[in-house]
């Protein structure tokens, strides 16, 4: 290519003179007629035949020379074969695991999708040789890709591996890769690996190999010649040479293709060597020369190239060498960049001449652009700046790419720089425009997503790739790939301001990391030539130990704009980890510290992904497939991967989110169980018969499921539901019971009632659905609680024991689910009872098979168990609410659920599941149900034994059952203690068999006593146990005192109160109660007995009146009311009604309390009483005593004062005081007689006689005015506190009438003037009567004494007459003779 006369090469390749001349055939290997044993079966005349169709591999770059993104020049001369399929070395990846195929998309070309999102995808190419896929191998490789021909080469110290990684039209060919033995292979372990590059040609690619340290060069025109197994033939077909002038320690670090047969070699010292593989006549030969600037004008800051690159002054800071576009035929531009930011543009021409066009120190401009972004560190003095790599951007590109059209001599570069310190590294991508030796940096893209430090001593340095159409830049690190979007953000006022400030909005950026626990490293990379019609860009990366990986960026589609994907979201990252992370051997989805997301964003993303999995709305999930089981398994695995990834990354998920993620996983697990049952049902059902699940899903409302699309040929509603509606499982479960009832009701309406057998099958399937769903969910929750960061120790059978506060509604215990599960359990229990009652003459086949009934009966206890769990869970959740109304709902539900549970457990006995009911009763500690179930079993078994028609074997079984149940009863006393004793003994109370409680033996003595003492309703029998068994008289007294409250009869109350008094006195005698505590109790009992005595006196007084009504109670009441309730309560509706009610209780000998008895006594007509009867005379005083007794018992002063004043007022108004006040024409005797006949006088006189007024003086009449005449006055008493105003107003009206009569007595009868005189008269009368009684008593005693004296004298005289000796006779105080003294 270069003339020897123009530039004398420093080395000339040696070619074997005996080399056979090339023939006109295009297949050099076939023409030579190699011996049969040397002939390679993988290489034929068809192997490298060019494809005539340009679309075989995609688009051809074009006819005009254009620099590729990695710096390789694609000249017009070589484009005619760019799309040709030069070989058929298709490599099939036979090591992909079945799990990988199932988990990730498997493409038609055999590639495996490693990850994908809306912006980019990473795939593993299927054409990687098996040798490169072994990550356990210790061999080191260096890779090189030839995108234009679709070949790759990997070298070791001794050999090279060549294969076609891009499939063409003959992709079905599965030839093995070529293994080429290197002629000058090195054996040293620390020597650099050979450099190799594939050279395109019209017929067959060639191969150039350079040994880095020795500089030896080997060139084969064809791969077939290089791959010859005959060493002599291999050498014969090789062109060899050497790169001279390499100093000690120098080695070649890289090859850059500068012409189709010209290359630039980078030396570790910074030298650049131009290598040619053909002479000026086009014959193959090796020639090299170092680039030196001899006559180019000086440009740039640092002057000529002489001071930088010449001789010994060569600097070791070359960052990259890239061949630019062809200026014109025979000329090529090359740009060399140093790590310090110096850019040199060289022009190479066909005759071998080269000169430096310009040199620019871009460091200051690059640093300035970084500072303008605002990302430059504050401690800039400690920062090291370096250029790592650069790539050409197309000069003329249409669209939104970050490029612009410039002059033909201009160039646009994308420069990768790093500013680093000891602990920090920041990367930037600079768009650099070079024109006429000057640079301009219009755009800077700071790389925010990757800040890992770069060490120059690393095995590979970062490489920058910008594939067509230059929308995305790829930065290839040793174990990471960074993608940076180069698309412009749409113009807006904000973006224009940012552009003027040299900082556009941050484009899309992301990092693809390799796993750090594996020795995966990048050993080669290159752009990927896009296929025809494909607008995205891609690159290929060779990963040692794994193979070839393609990273492709997707173009914007539809209405999407670059701003729509300007950021990486937490949801995108989580989706990649979930759907591609499990069993992923290459990529690491752990995330980086540079791209941390807010906790709220992560939580919301996790919930959205979880819901998209359960609803199959994720684009990563298929919505159709042959195996629903595998589909559900895939979704279950995805949910597990999601939580594992979140926990592995220590994401701080709040408790609510963890629970919701767990619930979604539970639903998938439950759906899998239901589907398996549904699939199994196909084997047992009759042809054409629908299973319940089909009917059920059809019954569900359209609003509660995803609508099926028959027009899209979706004909299976069941599969459609399992794909789209599993997240609505909480809706399906209640519909089970609804559908069961609905289907039966419809059959009845159609006059075709469903047969019992058909109903039983439906019930069985309904049991299966609800049991499988909820049991699986609870088990999954218990087993996986720790995985979701929840405390598994706080759960029992999947049921949280506490800490429900702030939790959302739990899907397993929604209101409809609780109701549905309970209803289904009851449904079968009711159905079983109906089945027992059916006529035995039913048609054959209509009755359910016995095995089916047994199966349902065995399932029913499990359903009852689940019903209990759901109710408990819901009640606990409601009770944890801050809303008091909701908390009350929780308490109500807890109470009702206990009733439901007891009912269901009892129902299990009817279907032959008594012992299952016992086990459930033990589990939930339902003592009431246990007591009833055991009692029922014992009684039923005993009744069967008593029938005497049971076979001997059956009798033994029944007897054994009785013994077993009785053993349960005895064992529960020790196991459950008071809880069991209360429930067991309560059965006796409910069945009115309390007296039988006393028959229990000494083993239950302690529990029986505790039960009786804690149940006041048993007080009537408890006192017997206290006296006879416990010898506790104080407790017996208390029981009797409580027992009298439970009876209404006057006689029964008197008996029990009297016995309570005796027991209290016995307790004092036996020192079981202190006397100070006993005295008030006895006084209270005496007061209660006094009330009963007053009522008994009243009853005895009324007995003569009631005799006329015989035994007719209503008639007795009417008779008494006719005589005693005519005048005083005639116009008082409320008081008359109260009087009649109380008279009724008195007639029936039912005890009244002190207040009601007081009202009764004081409301009866005065004139109806016998004035000479003792009760009649003392009735108002008795009423006042009752009020006092009630006050002593309750201590309510206001209540006593109100009632006491009402009694006094009624006492006063019993008589006509205005009439009494008219004393004209009356003498004193008549006035005294009228006054003495009044109820007031009698009451005052009797009070003075008994001394009652000493502590309770009579009130002034004026103080009685207005008492109880208003509702406000009545409410001062606790007796009327809770009464409604309407009732109080009626009472107040009646009492107001009494008050009006009192006013008339005071005004017209001058009662206040008479008051003191009446009191004095009553006091005098009482005193006179007392004196008369005292005088009579004195006279009686004197007469008795005189009688005793006379009798003594008579006895003494008789003794003397009989000859006795008179001795002193001892007598007692009353004069009786004391014998034996």
């Amino acid at each position: 290519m270069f003339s020897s006369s123009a530039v004398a090469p420093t080395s000339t390749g040696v070619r074997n003179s005996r080399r056979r001349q090339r023939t006109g055939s295009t297949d050099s290997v076939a023409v030579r007629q190699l011996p049969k044993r040397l002939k390679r079966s993988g290489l034929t005349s068809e192997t490298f035949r060019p494809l005539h169709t340009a679309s075989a591999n995609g688009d051809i770059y074009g006819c005009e020379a254009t620099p590729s993104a990695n710096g390789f020049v694609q000249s017009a001369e070589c484009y005619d074969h760019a799309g040709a399929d030069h070989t058929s070395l298709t490599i099939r990846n036979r090591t992909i695991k079945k799990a990988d195929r199932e988990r990730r998309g498997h493409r038609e070309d055999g590639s495996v999708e490693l990850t994908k999102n809306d912006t980019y995808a990473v795939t593993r190419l299927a054409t990687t040789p098996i040798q490169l896929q072994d990550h356990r191998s210790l061999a080191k490789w260096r890779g090189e890709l030839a995108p234009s021909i679709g070949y790759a080469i990997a070298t070791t110290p001794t050999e090279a591996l060549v294969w076609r990684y891009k499939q063409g039209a003959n992709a079905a060919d599965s030839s093995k890769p070529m293994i080429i033995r290197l002629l000058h292979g090195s054996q040293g372990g620390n020597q650099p690996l050979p450099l190799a590059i594939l050279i395109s040609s019209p017929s067959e690619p060639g191969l150039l190999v350079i040994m880095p340290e020795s500089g030896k060069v080997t060139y084969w025109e064809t791969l077939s010649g290089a791959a010859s197994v005959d060493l002599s033939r291999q050498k014969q077909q090789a062109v060899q040479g050497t790169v001279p002038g390499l100093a000690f320690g120098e080695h070649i670090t890289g090859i850059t293709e500068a012409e189709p047969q010209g290359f630039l070699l980078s030396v570790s010292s910074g030298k650049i060597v131009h290598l040619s593989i053909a002479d000026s006549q086009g014959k193959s030969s090796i020639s090299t020369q170092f680039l030196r600037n001899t006559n180019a004008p000086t440009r740039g800051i640092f002057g000529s190239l002489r001071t930088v690159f010449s001789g010994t002054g060569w600097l070791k800071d070359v960052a990259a060498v890239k061949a630019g576009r062809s200026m014109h035929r025979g000329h090529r531009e090359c740009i060399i960049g140093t790590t310090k930011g110096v850019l040199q543009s060289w022009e190479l021409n066909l005759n071998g001449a080269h000169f430096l066009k310009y040199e620019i120190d871009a460091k200051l401009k690059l640093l300035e652009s970084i500072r303008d972004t605002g990302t430059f560190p504050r401690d800039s003095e400690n920062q090291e700046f370096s250029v790592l790599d650069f790539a050409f951007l197309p000069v003329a590109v249409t669209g939104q790419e970050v490029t612009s059209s410039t002059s033909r001599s201009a160039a646009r570069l994308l420069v990768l720089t790093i500013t680093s310190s000891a602990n920090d590294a920041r990367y930037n991508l600079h768009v650099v425009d070079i024109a006429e030796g000057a640079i301009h940096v219009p755009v800077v893209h700071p790389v925010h997503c990757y800040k890992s430090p770069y060490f120059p001593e690393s095995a590979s340095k970062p490489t920058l790739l910008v594939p067509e159409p230059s929308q995305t830049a790829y930065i290839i690190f040793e174990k990471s790939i960074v993608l940076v979007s180069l698309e412009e953000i749409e113009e807006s006022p904000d973006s224009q301001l940012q552009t003027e400030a040299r900082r556009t909005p941050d484009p899309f950026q992301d990092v693809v990391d390799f796993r750090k626990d594996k020795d995966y490293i990048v050993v080669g990379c290159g752009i990927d030539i896009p296929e025809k019609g494909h607008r995205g860009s891609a690159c290929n990366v060779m990963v040692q130990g794994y193979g070839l990986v393609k990273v492709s960026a997707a173009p914007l589609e539809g209405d999407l704009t670059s701003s729509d994907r300007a950021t990486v979201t937490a949801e995108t990252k989580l989706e990649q980890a979930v759907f591609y992370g499990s069993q992923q051997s290459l990529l690491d989805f752990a995330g980086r510290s540079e791209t941390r997301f807010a906790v709220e964003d992560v939580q919301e993303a996790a919930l959205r992904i979880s819901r998209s999995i359960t609803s199959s709305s994720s684009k990563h999930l298929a919505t159709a497939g042959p195996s629903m089981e595998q589909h559900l398994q895939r979704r279950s695995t995805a949910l597990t991967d999601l939580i594992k990834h979140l926990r592995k990354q220590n994401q701080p998920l709040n408790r609510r989110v963890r629970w919701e993620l767990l619930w979604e996983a539970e639903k998938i697990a439950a759906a899998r169980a239901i589907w398996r049952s549904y699939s199994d049902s196909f084997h047992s059902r009759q042809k054409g018969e629908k299973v319940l699940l089909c009917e059920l899903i059809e019954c569900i409302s359209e609003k509660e499921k995803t609508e099926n699309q028959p027009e899209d040929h979706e004909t299976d509603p069941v599969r459609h539901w399992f794909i789209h509606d599993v997240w609505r499982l909480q809706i399906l479960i209640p519909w089970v019971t609804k559908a069961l009832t609905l289907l039966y009701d419809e059959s009845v309406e159609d006059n075709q009632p469903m047969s019992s057998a058909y109903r039983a099958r439906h019930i069985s399937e309904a049991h299966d659905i609800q049991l499988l769903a909820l049991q699986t969910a609870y088990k999954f929750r218990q087993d996986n609680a720790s995985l979701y960061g929840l405390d598994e120790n706080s759960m029992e059978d999947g049921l949280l024991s506490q800490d429900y506060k702030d939790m959302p509604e739990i899907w397993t215990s929604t209101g409809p689910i609780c109701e549905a599960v309970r209803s289904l359990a009851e449904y079968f229990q009711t159905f079983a009872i109906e089945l027992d009652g059916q006529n035995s003459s039913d048609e054959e086949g209509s009755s359910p098979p016995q095995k089916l009934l047994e199966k349902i009966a065995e399932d029913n206890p499990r359903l009852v168990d689940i019903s209990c769990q759901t109710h408990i869970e819901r009640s606990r959740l409601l009770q944890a609410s801050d809303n008091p109304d909701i908390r009350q709902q929780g308490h109500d539900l807890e109470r009702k659920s206990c009733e439901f549970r007891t009912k269901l457990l009892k129902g299990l006995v009817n279907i032959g599941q008594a012992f299952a009911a016992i086990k459930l009763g033990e589990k939930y500690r339902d003592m009431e149900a246990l007591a009833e179930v055991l009692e029922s079993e014992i009684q039923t078994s005993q009744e069967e034994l008593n029938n005497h028609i049971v076979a001997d074997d059956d009798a033994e079984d029944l007897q054994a059952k009785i013994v077993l149940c009785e053993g349960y009863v005895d064992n529960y006393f020790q196991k459950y203690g008071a809880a069991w004793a209360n429930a067991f003994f309560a059965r006796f109370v409910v069945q009115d068999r309390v007296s039988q409680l006393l028959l229990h033996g000494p083993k239950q003595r302690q529990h029986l006593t505790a039960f009786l003492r804690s149940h006041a309703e048993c007080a009537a029998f408890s006192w017997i146990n206290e006296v006879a068994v416990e010898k506790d008289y104080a407790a017996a007294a208390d029981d009797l005192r409580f027992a009298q409250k439970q009876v209404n009869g006057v006689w029964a109350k008197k008996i029990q109160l009297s016995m309570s008094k005796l027991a209290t006195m016995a307790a004092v005698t036996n020192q079981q109660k202190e006397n100070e505590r006993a005295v008030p109790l006895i006084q209270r009992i005496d007061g209660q007995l006094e009330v009963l005595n007053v009522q008994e006196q009243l009853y005895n007084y009324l007995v003569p009146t009631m005799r006329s009504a015989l035994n007719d109670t209503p008639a007795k009441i009417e008779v008494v009311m006719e005589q005693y309730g005519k005048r005083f309560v005639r116009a008082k509706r409320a008081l008359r009604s109260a009087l009649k009610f109380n008279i009724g209780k008195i007639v029936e000998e039912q005890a009244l309390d002190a207040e009601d008895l007081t009202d009764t006594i004081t409301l009866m007509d005065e004139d109806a009483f016998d004035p000479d009867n003792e009760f009649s005379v003392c009735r108002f005083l008795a009423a006042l005593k009752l009020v006092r007794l009630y006050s002593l018992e309750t201590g309510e002063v206001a209540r006593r004062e109100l009632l006491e004043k009402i009694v006094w007022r009624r006492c006063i108004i019993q008589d006509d005081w205005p009439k009494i006040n008219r004393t004209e024409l009356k003498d004193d005797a008549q006035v005294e007689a009228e006054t003495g006949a009044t109820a007031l006088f009698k009451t005052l006189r009797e009070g003075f006689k008994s001394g009652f007024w000493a502590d309770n003086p009579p009130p002034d009449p004026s103080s009685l005015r207005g008492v109880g005449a208003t509702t406000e006055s009545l409410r001062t008493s606790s007796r009327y506190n809770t009464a409604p105003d309407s009732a109080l107003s009626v009472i107040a009206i009646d009492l107001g009438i009494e008050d009006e009569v009192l006013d008339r007595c005071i005004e017209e009868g001058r009662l206040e003037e008479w008051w003191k005189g009446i009191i004095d008269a009553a006091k005098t009368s009482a005193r006179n009567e007392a004196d008369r009684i005292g005088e009579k008593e004195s006279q009686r005693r004197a007469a008795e004494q005189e009688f005793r004296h006379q009798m003594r004298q008579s006895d003494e005289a008789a003794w003397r007459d009989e000859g006795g000796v008179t001795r002193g006779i001892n007598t007692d105080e009353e004069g009786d003779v004391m014998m034996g003294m």
Side-chain angles (χ1 to χ4, degrees), residues 1112-1251:
D1112 188 355
T1113 300
K1116 290 181 180 180
I1117 296 173
E1118 291 299 327
V1119 168
V1120 174
M1121 287 296 296
E1122 181 67 23
Q1123 183 169 349
Y1124 294 95
K1126 291 177 63 178
R1127 182 182 61 83
F1128 192 79
V1129 295
R1130 179 176 53 189
K1132 304 166 187 175
R1133 185 181 63 179
L1135 296 181
R1136 177 178 174 79
S1137 177
L1139 176 62
K1140 186 174 182 180
F1141 177 79
N1142 293 339
I1143 289 296
K1145 297 189 74 172
I1146 291 173
V1147 169
E1148 293 176 347
E1149 298 186 73
Q1150 300 295 312
L1152 295 173
D1153 61 24
E1155 288 182 316
D1156 289 338
L1157 185 58
T1158 299
D1159 280 338
T1160 303
I1161 293 173
T1162 57
L1163 289 175
M1164 297 174 73
D1165 294 338
E1166 174 68 16
D1167 53 5
F1169 281 94
D1170 182 2
D1172 298 327
N1173 185 273
E1174 182 179 358
F1175 179 78
S1176 175
V1177 172
C1178 299
R1179 69 186 181 108
F1180 280 100
L1181 180 62
L1184 291 171
K1185 288 181 179 180
L1186 290 176
V1187 174
R1188 183 181 179 186
L1189 289 173
Y1190 185 81
S1191 173
L1192 291 175
E1193 185 173 354
T1194 63
E1196 298 184 37
V1197 178
R1199 190 166 182 169
R1200 175 184 64 80
E1201 289 179 350
L1202 177 66
L1203 186 58
E1204 198 172 55
K1205 289 180 179 181
I1206 290 175
V1207 171
W1208 275 110
R1209 184 173 62 192
R1210 289 173 179 170
C1211 178
I1212 291 171
I1213 66 177
Q1214 289 289 329
D1215 300 286
D1216 189 356
W1217 285 99
K1219 180 179 179 182
I1220 296 173
N1221 181 57
R1222 292 193 292 271
T1223 57
E1224 62 272 15
L1225 302 178
K1226 296 179 182 178
D1227 57 10
D1228 289 347
Q1230 186 177 356
V1231 172
E1232 289 178 358
E1234 290 180 353
T1235 304
T1238 63
L1240 175 62
F1241 183 86
K1242 295 176 183 177
T1243 301
L1244 290 172
R1245 183 188 63 195
E1246 295 301 319
F1248 283 123
K1249 288 170 61 178
S1250 63

Side-chain angles (χ1 to χ4, degrees), residues 1 10 19 23 224 342 354 442 542 653 680 702 855 869-870 1044 1174 1256 1286 1317 1346 1353:
M1 181 178 69
T10 58
R19 179 180 178 186
T23 67
S224 57
V342 176
H354 56 268
M542 189 182 299
L653 302 176
D680 294 341
E702 295 297 333
K855 181 261 182 187
Q869 284 189 240
T870 57
Q1044 64 87 21
E1174 182 179 358
N1256 302 273
S1286 58
E1346 178 65 22
Q1353 289 179 345

